[in-house]
Structures are given as C-alpha cells and as structure tokens.
Amino acid sequence: MKKYVCNLCGYVYDPADGDKESGIAPGTPFEDIPAGWTCPLCGASKDDFSAE
Amino acid sequence: MKLVELKKGIYWVGAVDWNIRDFHGYSTWEGTTYNSYLMVGDKITLFDGVKNEYTDTLIARISEIIDPSKIDYLVVNHVEPDHSGAIPQLVEIIKPEKIFCSDMGQKALAGHYHYSEWPYQVVKSGEEVMLGNRKVIFQEARMLHWPDSMLAYLPDEKLLISNDAFGEHLATVERFDDEVDNSRLMGQAAKYYANILWPYSPLVQKIIKTVVDLKWDFDMIAPDHGVIWRKNPGQIISAYAKWSDCQAGNRVLVVYESMWKSTEKMAAQITHGLADAGLDVRQYRLELNHRSDIIADFLEARGLVLGSPTLNNQFMPQMADFLSYLRGLKPGKKIGAAFGSYGWSGEAVRQMNECLENMNFQLADQGLRHQWVPTREVLRSCYELGGRVAQEVKNYRFE
Ligand SMILES: [Fe+2]
Ligand SMILES: [Fe+2]
Ligand SMILES: [Zn+2]
C-alpha cells in the first residue's frame, strides 16, 4: 500500500499506521479514507496529498 | 507618542523591537516590529498581539486611545509567539467576549497556552463577520506560514490585515512604506520571503489567485511585521508573485568554506570566471556570513556554486548547516555545481553534488576537486568552470 505526503506540511500518511486520532484504523489504504478527512498536522484536505 | 491612525478608527498599537538579532535562526540585524491593530466602532476589536515581553508596551499604546478593558473582541490571525505571546495577559485584562481564530488556530492556542475555557469563536475560510458595525472577512492562509494563518479583509475600509505575509523584519520609527527608503524596504521584504515563505511558494501563488478571484479591493496592506503598505501595496504583491514563481536573474552565488585557503583560491577564480562572463556574481564565505543573508541573496539568483574541502570524509560543518537550511526552503528552478580542495579521500564534491541533486538542482558540471594546494593550471580550470556555469545560467529557459 502506498504512502501519501501532505503537499502543505510534509506529513506522511502511512496505511500501516492509519490515523488513530481521526479513527482511521491501521491497514486503511489512502483511497479508503473518507473524503472529509484532513491532515492531522496542518488540516489540509485529502486532495492536497500526493503519492510518495 | 503620536497616534498612528491608518484608516478611520483603526490604529497601529504595536511595538518596535530594536534589539532582536536572532529570530529562530534568522539574523534580524535591523530589528523588527510586532504590529497590532485596534479597531474602534460599536464594538472594539484588537487584531493580533505582540511578543510576550512587549505586552506592557501594547497595553500602554492602547490606553492612549481607549481603556483596554473596553475591548470586546480579539482576533488571532496567527499563533506564533511573536504575535500571540501577549494573548494570555490580554485575555485576563480584557475578558473578551470572543476570540476569533481559525480551526487550526484554536488548536494551536490551546497547545500553547492550555486554556480550554477561552471564548474561542472559530471562523471558516471566507466567513463574513460583523464586529459591531464593521465588517470583516476572514480567509485561511494555511501554511503561510503556519497551519493556523489567516488573513482579515475589511472591505469597507479597503484594508487587508495580512499577518506575517507581506511583512519584513525592520525596526523603524516610520510606520508606512512611503516613509522608508524603498530599496532597504524591498531588501528586507525579500529576505523575509526567502527565509519564511519560500517553501510555501505554490500556496502563495494560490492565495494570490484566490484574492484576485474574490475581487478583494484594498488600497492598504497592514502586515504584522514592518511597515504598512499604503502608497504602493501593489509593489509587494507583484514581488510575491515573482518570487513564488521562481523568477530569477543572471545571478550566481559562490558559497564556500575553506581550511587552509586552497578552496578559497579556487572560489576566487570561479567568481572571476562568472564575472567575466557577465554575470552578477557574489562570493560568500560561510563562516563570515549569516545563512539567512545568503538565502536572501539567493532568492533571485539562478545559480549556486558550492565549495568545501573534505574534513574527515565529509564536507565542512558550516556547509552542512547551510545545506540543511537551504533544503528546507525548497528552492525551485536552480542550477548548481561544486568544487573543493582535499588532502586524501576527497568526498566533499561528490557529497555536495548529491545534495544539489536531492534538492532538484540542475547540475551544470560534474564539479572540480583538487588534491592539496591548487596549481596555476587548476586555478585556470576553476576560472573555466565559472565560465561553464555562466553559460548554463544564460541558456536557462523557463519552462
Ligand atoms: Fe509566524
Ligand atoms: Fe511573525
Ligand atoms: Zn499537512
């Protein structure tokens, strides 16, 4: 599964870790994250991410 | 002190910091100001605070206009402590009805000062709010340069309160752009952009487009550092448009460190070679120049030639400092080359080449390294290297 980087702040979404704080379970591919999810560091929206 | 009224009922109430010389690694050799703006109407609003140690100055300045406890609203456009340091004490004195900030601003304020019970009023991007009889539109400017950053636009006053954007670190008694020497002002504005906003250039482009699309009409920009743009706010906007677009001239910097002057001799010849080819070349020895000043000069340069001897199989630590700082600033569309003298192993040139490539520089040459002290022939090749880099710079075409 691909990692995705926030274009705004550099945060890396790693599917292996998910995003606990927003309730994204480990093992969730980036594509399956709900559209309303935002970067946990800077609040950027999902379309501000690009594949690493 | 004379009151500074920039628009009807809107006053500058900030502080001038003549003494600051280091702003988290940025050399502020001309000091700075922390600008705060008081708006008097049916409701009284304070836009942004100052650095903690200037809270008393801010309160004294407000007191010349109104009793500070009469302030109803605080606006926190940006939570970095040079602006929000005064907020906890202000909240105590003012007991504000509302503290306007962005969603990320609320999180950052809570993370800095740990008060969950403050009367936060989170505003959305583009939200129009009446502060008493005076209208303000908030626009988020995420990562310009923190996640919380916002702009506050007052359409009736044609005023843009821009927070860190469009500011500069410059301490003066003058408050307006037309009162300060323009080249000094633009020099500091470029330095501010290069050291603070450069990595976010694509977002700068985006926000300029947003402001144009929204048809915001303002004739004055009031940033939170330095002077207020009243005579020529277009000047700073076009400068930001240019800088964020990686536009550069025929300038090349030769940036080096040396141990026993061999690399320095090579640097001198490279500089000559570049100069004789007609380029605007500037030579910086790292130890003698602050990284933030070199970066300021590099903003509008196309090329960078790096020189370092090899010290224990590495380039010099001053070069490591510079390259780590430069890398974070994500410079785009640049040309590079490397050189250096060495004693035995000589890895530095290759390592500098790798750093340049990692930063997406276009390498103008495979580089030049020489064992021990350069001979006349080697110095001649350094001169020629300067010429080759100059050629690449001249041939560079914006795609
Ligand atoms: Fe800031
Ligand atoms: Fe600031
Ligand atoms: Zn982010």
Side-chain angles (χ1 to χ4, degrees):
Chain A
M1 272 184 289
K2 258 195 207 144
K3 291 182 187 174
Y4 277 76
V5 193
C6 173
N7 299 333
L8 273 65
C9 77
Y11 165 83
V12 179
Y13 175 78
D14 184 347
D17 300 336
D19 174 19
K20 252 191 218 132
E21 239 183 276
S22 321
I24 310 291
T28 309
F30 186 78
E31 295 73 20
D32 293 355
I33 299 175
W37 177 82
T38 55
C39 171
L41 294 191
C42 79
S45 60
K46 215 183 144 181
D47 39 273
D48 281 316
F49 279 71
S50 38
E52 200 176 39
Chain B
M1 227 191 114
K2 267 197 293 182
L3 294 184
V4 182
E5 189 175 18
L6 43 144
K7 291 276 182 178
K8 185 127 190 51
I10 302 178
Y11 303 87
W12 176 88
V13 288
V16 181
D17 186 346
W18 297 96
N19 296 336
I20 189 168
R21 288 295 176 270
D22 174 59
F23 197 103
H24 57 56
Y26 175 146
S27 155
T28 45
W29 50 270
E30 289 199 279
T32 194
T33 72
Y34 313 109
N35 300 338
S36 185
Y37 301 99
L38 182 76
M39 183 166 76
V40 182
D42 300 354
K43 291 281 191 179
I44 298 170
T45 307
L46 185 70
F47 290 87
D48 300 325
V50 295
K51 203 175 172 185
N52 178 37
E53 65 217 66
Y54 287 92
T55 310
D56 291 346
T57 310
L58 170 65
I59 290 167
R61 197 94 66 192
I62 296 169
S63 304
E64 288 170 27
I65 303 161
I66 50 134
D67 171 0
S69 68
K70 296 236 159 68
I71 293 174
D72 302 286
Y73 302 139
L74 285 179
V75 172
V76 178
N77 283 312
H78 177 34
V79 182
E80 194 162 11
D82 54 327
H83 309 289
S84 76
I87 299 294
Q89 210 183 318
L90 286 174
V91 172
E92 227 164 89
I93 296 169
I94 294 169
K95 301 195 175 52
E97 205 178 304
K98 288 173 181 173
I99 300 175
F100 293 94
C101 58
S102 66
D103 175 35
M104 298 310 284
Q106 178 183 359
K107 288 179 183 148
L109 277 171
H112 276 74
Y113 305 111
H114 316 121
Y115 291 99
S116 52
E117 71 282 10
W118 281 357
Y120 299 107
Q121 180 76 37
V122 170
V123 290
K124 289 210 177 68
S125 204
E127 193 170 329
E128 209 177 285
V129 176
M130 291 306 295
L131 303 170
N133 55 338
R134 311 190 79 156
K135 188 199 291 175
V136 61
I137 299 171
F138 293 106
Q139 182 72 36
E140 284 191 49
R142 285 204 178 159
M143 297 316 290
L144 294 176
H145 66 121
W146 274 22
D148 49 75
S149 302
M150 287 201 301
L151 306 172
Y153 166 52
L154 289 84
D156 300 332
E157 337 295 340
K158 294 191 170 192
L159 174 66
L160 177 66
I161 297 178
S162 62
N163 192 259
D164 276 339
F166 310 124
E168 67 286 331
H169 287 315
L170 180 61
T172 52
V173 291
E174 295 82 11
R175 296 275 65 83
F176 294 98
D177 58 344
D178 51 287
E179 299 169 324
V180 177
D181 174 71
N182 199 58
S183 64
R184 182 181 177 211
L185 180 56
M186 290 312 289
Q188 287 297 356
K191 181 172 180 180
Y192 193 89
Y193 187 92
N195 284 278
I196 305 285
L197 292 159
W198 201 350
Y200 309 111
S201 291
L203 297 169
V204 171
Q205 297 258 299
K206 232 177 166 177
I207 197 90
I208 291 175
K209 193 180 173 297
T210 305
V211 167
V212 171
D213 290 350
L214 289 170
K215 299 199 167 64
W216 281 6
D217 175 25
F218 49 85
D219 56 20
M220 192 184 284
I221 301 177
D224 280 2
H225 296 290
V227 299
I228 297 160
W229 304 89
R230 74 173 169 194
K231 183 171 176 230
N232 198 357
Q235 179 181 212
I236 190 67
I237 300 221
S238 11
Y240 269 50
K242 176 172 94 174
W243 294 328
S244 58
D245 193 31
C246 310
Q247 290 182 32
N250 274 353
R251 184 188 301 166
V252 177
L253 307 192
V254 177
V255 175
Y256 73 99
E257 195 40 76
S258 197
M259 288 167 77
W260 296 104
K261 304 242 160 137
S262 288
T263 301
E264 184 155 84
K265 285 183 187 126
M266 296 171 81
Q269 287 309 312
I270 292 168
T271 298
H272 280 315
L274 284 157
D276 286 356
L279 293 208
D280 165 15
V281 50
R282 296 149 192 217
Q283 188 180 311
Y284 288 102
R285 180 165 180 168
L286 283 162
E287 194 174 85
L288 304 177
N289 294 280
H290 198 274
R291 63 174 93 79
S292 61
D293 289 316
I294 303 177
I295 290 297
D297 216 8
F298 188 50
L299 179 65
E300 291 188 52
R302 181 65 71 203
L304 176 67
V305 187
L306 297 173
S308 174
T310 299
L311 174 69
N312 300 327
N313 312 103
Q314 316 292 324
F315 47 64
M316 298 283 281
Q318 295 90 339
M319 185 57 75
D321 172 301
F322 179 71
L323 287 176
S324 150
Y325 191 66
L326 179 63
R327 186 175 183 177
L329 297 172
K330 301 195 180 121
K333 300 185 177 161
K334 303 289 191 194
I335 290 171
F339 66 97
S341 149
Y342 67 98
W344 43 99
S345 59
E347 291 92 339
V349 168
R350 178 178 48 78
Q351 290 165 350
M352 288 185 287
N353 276 343
E354 281 168 15
C355 289
L356 288 168
E357 285 185 310
N358 286 336
M359 292 187 290
N360 298 318
F361 276 56
Q362 183 186 311
L363 281 191
D365 196 89
Q366 84 272 22
L368 191 67
R369 56 174 208 155
H370 177 70
Q371 192 175 21
W372 306 123
V373 178
T375 58
R376 273 171 79 167
E377 295 74 66
V378 169
L379 292 177
R380 183 79 217 164
S381 349
C382 288
Y383 179 86
E384 286 160 4
L385 172 64
R388 287 200 298 282
V389 173
Q391 216 41 56
E392 290 288 321
V393 168
K394 285 180 183 171
N395 292 341
Y396 189 86
R397 286 289 164 267
F398 233 158
E399 65 277 11

